[in-house]
Every structure is written in C-alpha cells, then in structure tokens.
Amino acid sequence: MIPYGKQEITQADIDAVLDVLHSDFLTQGPKVPEFEAKVAGHVGAKHALAANSATSALHIACLALGLGPDDWLWTSPVTFVASANCGLYCGARVDFVDIDPRTYNLCPKALAAKLEQAEREGRLPKVLVAVHLSGQSCDMAAIHELGQRYGFRIIEDASHAIGGKYKGEFIGSGRYSDITVFSFHPVKIVTTAEGGMALTNDDHLASRMNLLRSHGVTRDQNLMTREPDGPWYYQQVELGFNYRMTELQAALGVSQMDRLDDFVARRHELAKRYDDLLADLPVTTPWQHPDTYSGLHLYVIRLQLDTINRTHREVFESLREQGIGVNLHYIPVHTQPYYEAMGFAPEDFPEAMAYYREAISLPMFHGLEEGQQDEVVRALERALA
C-alpha cells in the first residue's frame, strides 16, 4: 500500500529523541523553548507557543481572543472538524463560509456577502478561522481587510501549511492575522508525532495562551494577586488545561525543522510531476494562486465525473483495491451528524458539496519515489477506464 502521507524519520531525528531520554528533562525542559524559537525565527513571528496538538492550539487561541458564549466563530466547511469544534469548546456558536471553487479555501467574496447579511441581522462573527487547505494560503489580505471593516479577529489554521508563503512572506508571520496555528501530526510536513503550535506577534495573546496551555498556573509575580508565600509559590489565575508539548516531541521537531525547506521543495517537485502525468486524464489538478507558495501537504484532484463512466466511490475504491492509499480531505463539517443537529443542511454550502463529490487526495510525502508516483498514476488510469 502506498499511503497518502507518511512521516520521514532519520537517524538524526532518533538521536535527538534519545538525547532527551538520557537527559534530566522529559517535559518542561529546554527543548520546547528551542523548538518554539526555531519555528518563530523561521517564519518571522514574535512568539510561538507549542502545544500537544493543533486542536489544543486552536482552543487556546480562541480563548485568548475572548471567544465565549453568544459569540460566533466562522470557518470553512472543507476542513477537519477541529477548525469548527474549537469554537464550540468556548461555548460559541459556529457557522461556515463556502469555498472558492479553484483554491478550495474559504472564499473572500462569499465571506463579504455573508458579513453584509450578518451585520443587518446583528450576528457578526467574533473570530474567523481561515483554513489553508492542502498548504495553500487563503487570500489573507482580502480577509484581513474585511476583518478591519467588520471587527472580527482572525486565526490562520495553517495545520497544512508550514513552509508555505503568501505574498512572499512565510505563513505564520502574522501580517494578516492575530494567531497562526501549525500541526505536527505524522502525516504533516514536519512531525513531532502529535503536536501543534500557536504563533502571534501580540504580547498579550502570547501571555494568555502560555497560561492556558498549562492549567492557568503561573510563577510570574507580575501576574499574581498577592505576594508569594515563598520560593515554592505559584498561583492559578486562569482556568487552563494540560496542553503542554513534551521534550521528546520538541526534540523531534527541532531536528525535523532542519529539513523543512527540503521537505517543501520535494513536494513541489512531486506536484509538478503529477501535473504533467495527469494532464491528459479527466481530472482537475490543484490550482495555485500566484500570490501563494503552498506547503503542499496534500495533492487533491477532482474527478471530471461528467466525462467518465464511473462514480466517485468506484474510482476511490478501485484505487484502494490496487494498493493506493488515497483519502478524501474532507467530508464537509456541516454534514456531520453533530452539526446537522444544529440545523445545517448539505446544500447550505454548494461549492463545498461539489468539491466533496469529486475530490480525492493522492499520495504526497517527501519520501514518495518516482516509481511509486508512476504506479499511482497507472492505477488512476485503470480506475478511470
């Protein structure tokens, strides 16, 4: 089976983790700050807060922005459920904005129209989560302009996008958003096994997220309500969570970051090769906006179902039967039973549903060999026949 995604672990990665196992710290030691500094320095952000998952990072990002009951969080329906669930964790209400038919990201035109209506109805969002699907940035300049006009805060869910760029700057620099979140799950571009990170240029937001990821507990006297009883003293000043990253995960992340540029460059080579190999098949290959340089976590094709004699499911199952570990990213969140119970219907977001009926994620990872890629394409040709 050729998987759709796979981590690449080298001896240097293994040695980095072993060094931590032989050290005095398995958690809350020097490696987490080193990893944070390495990511922040690479993308040009002021602060980076490592967490045990991107979901945790999204949660504390929403809380730091003051999202709470009776507030609205908006995001894309074509994403993993965590992009929406983070709003529910805060007691907020969730809604969606349909996608752009070429980038598959949240559509700024649909967002503008929805904001006009929401302003009339008195239900503007407090937070917008802009998801960089497959690693390609949303049109953040347009979204930021709307944020300034309508007063909402912006989180970039860049779980797919570390190493990517928008308008020549690394995703995560924070020029057009309040907080950016990366994921380091094994199928992502850089892995720490499980893990995530929130980045911001705002000192206050960084301080809040730092507290929230570690039980709301502090030893910083400047944050305490009274003088400490002694050198052992700490205070809980927030209701926080145990969302910390371990030293083992951070050591792996530090080692992986040394190869980030190579990881992304290789994905671009593979994507270009896919583009060429698939040019004559009845599929639509990914379109890249000229303002973006994608991290290319995923390579998603769309079947041209009106020109083939097989269904989406038949093509997908044929590929799996031939040993190609394709996947589908994602089932639109608003069609999940939990969200349908809130009143959402599948056709509320027609572009998202059109995408869902045609999309297949082909294998894309740094270690994918050209011979394997050729086999993927041959299998797809047979599946389409």
Side-chain angles (χ1 to χ4, degrees), residues 271-316:
K272 176 62 169 65
R273 197 163 184 272
Y274 266 139
D275 290 346
D276 293 340
L277 291 170
L278 300 174
D280 296 328
L281 294 183
V283 301
T284 301
T285 55
W287 181 78
Q288 300 297 323
H289 193 286
D291 286 344
T292 69
Y293 175 76
S294 177
L296 277 169
H297 164 52
L298 300 172
Y299 187 92
V300 179
I301 61 168
R302 291 179 66 166
L303 304 180
Q304 296 173 8
L305 292 173
D306 56 342
T307 63
I308 62 176
N309 294 319
R310 306 198 73 184
T311 67
H312 184 216
R313 180 169 180 168
E314 286 171 340
V315 174
F316 189 96

Side-chain angles (χ1 to χ4, degrees), residues 18-19 22 25 35 78 121 126-127 138 141 186 189 196 243 271 288 298 303 322 350 370:
L18 287 175
D19 286 345
H22 291 300
F25 296 96
F35 182 40
V78 179
E121 298 173 355
K126 186 166 189 174
V127 172
C138 295
I189 299 163
Y243 284 170
Q288 300 297 323
L298 300 172
L303 304 180
Q322 295 180 73
E370 292 187 357

Side-chain angles (χ1 to χ4, degrees), residues 25-342:
F25 296 96
L26 297 184
T27 187
Q28 294 180 278
K31 278 296 174 182
V32 169
E34 181 182 351
F35 182 40
E36 292 170 336
K38 196 159 193 173
V39 175
H42 188 91
V43 304
K46 187 175 181 181
H47 302 283
L49 292 305
N52 59 8
S53 71
T55 301
S56 300
L58 285 167
H59 185 194
I60 61 174
C62 288
L63 289 171
L65 292 171
L67 189 71
D70 299 324
D71 293 328
W72 284 94
L73 178 145
W74 290 5
T75 190
S76 168
V78 179
T79 183
F80 187 57
V81 294
S83 307
N85 289 350
C86 59
L88 301 183
Y89 299 156
C90 301
R93 292 172 288 181
V94 171
D95 202 351
F96 302 94
V97 180
D98 213 350
I99 64 170
D100 179 279
R102 290 200 296 178
T103 66
Y104 316 144
N105 284 330
L106 185 148
C107 177
K109 292 180 180 178
L111 175 61
K114 187 160 185 151
L115 287 165
E116 285 185 19
Q117 180 179 353
E119 186 175 43
R120 292 192 297 269
E121 298 173 355
R123 56 176 191 87
L124 286 168
K126 186 166 189 174
V127 172
L128 179 87
V129 178
V131 181
H132 302 330
L133 189 73
S134 301
Q136 178 172 208
S137 175
C138 295
D139 186 351
M140 292 308 302
I143 291 171
H144 179 262
E145 182 181 349
L146 290 167
Q148 295 294 299
R149 188 187 313 171
Y150 289 98
F152 58 82
R153 310 297 290 273
I154 300 169
I155 298 172
E156 294 180 69
D157 184 346
S159 294
H160 295 183
I162 191 169
K165 296 180 180 180
Y166 175 71
K167 291 185 179 289
E169 292 185 277
F170 278 110
I171 294 168
S173 69
R175 179 176 294 276
Y176 300 102
S177 65
D178 297 285
I179 300 170
T180 302
V181 170
F182 291 137
S183 171
F184 306 118
H185 184 275
V187 297
K188 298 302 194 321
I189 299 163
V190 164
T191 188
T192 60
E194 289 283 1
M197 189 172 288
L199 298 99
T200 185
N201 296 321
D202 186 297
D203 295 345
H204 174 70
L205 292 177
S207 178
R208 289 269 292 135
M209 290 190 290
N210 186 42
L211 274 174
L212 289 164
R213 69 171 169 174
S214 191
H215 303 283
V217 167
T218 185
R219 294 182 184 274
D220 184 348
Q221 293 187 35
N222 294 320
L223 299 177
M224 292 183 182
T225 59
R226 60 183 174 86
E227 288 295 315
D229 296 340
W232 63 83
Y233 193 68
Y234 59 84
Q235 282 189 348
Q236 181 188 341
V237 295
E238 292 265 9
L239 180 59
F241 308 87
N242 186 358
Y243 284 170
R244 294 188 301 260
M245 176 178 281
T246 69
E247 290 288 280
L248 298 169
Q249 292 168 300
L252 178 56
V254 168
S255 180
Q256 291 257 309
M257 281 295 295
D258 289 336
R259 307 197 300 284
L260 173 58
D261 291 342
D262 179 55
F263 286 158
V264 177
R266 177 57 178 161
R267 288 169 181 268
H268 276 264
E269 291 173 2
L270 291 167
K272 176 62 169 65
R273 197 163 184 272
Y274 266 139
D275 290 346
D276 293 340
L277 291 170
L278 300 174
D280 296 328
L281 294 183
V283 301
T284 301
T285 55
W287 181 78
Q288 300 297 323
H289 193 286
D291 286 344
T292 69
Y293 175 76
S294 177
L296 277 169
H297 164 52
L298 300 172
Y299 187 92
V300 179
I301 61 168
R302 291 179 66 166
L303 304 180
Q304 296 173 8
L305 292 173
D306 56 342
T307 63
I308 62 176
N309 294 319
R310 306 198 73 184
T311 67
H312 184 216
R313 180 169 180 168
E314 286 171 340
V315 174
F316 189 96
E317 289 180 341
S318 174
L319 287 165
R320 284 277 183 94
E321 289 165 1
Q322 295 180 73
I324 310 302
V326 290
N327 213 327
L328 204 165
H329 298 88
Y330 292 93
I331 303 169
V333 180
H334 73 287
T335 68
Q336 296 292 347
Y338 195 87
Y339 284 85
E340 285 186 326
M342 298 177 192

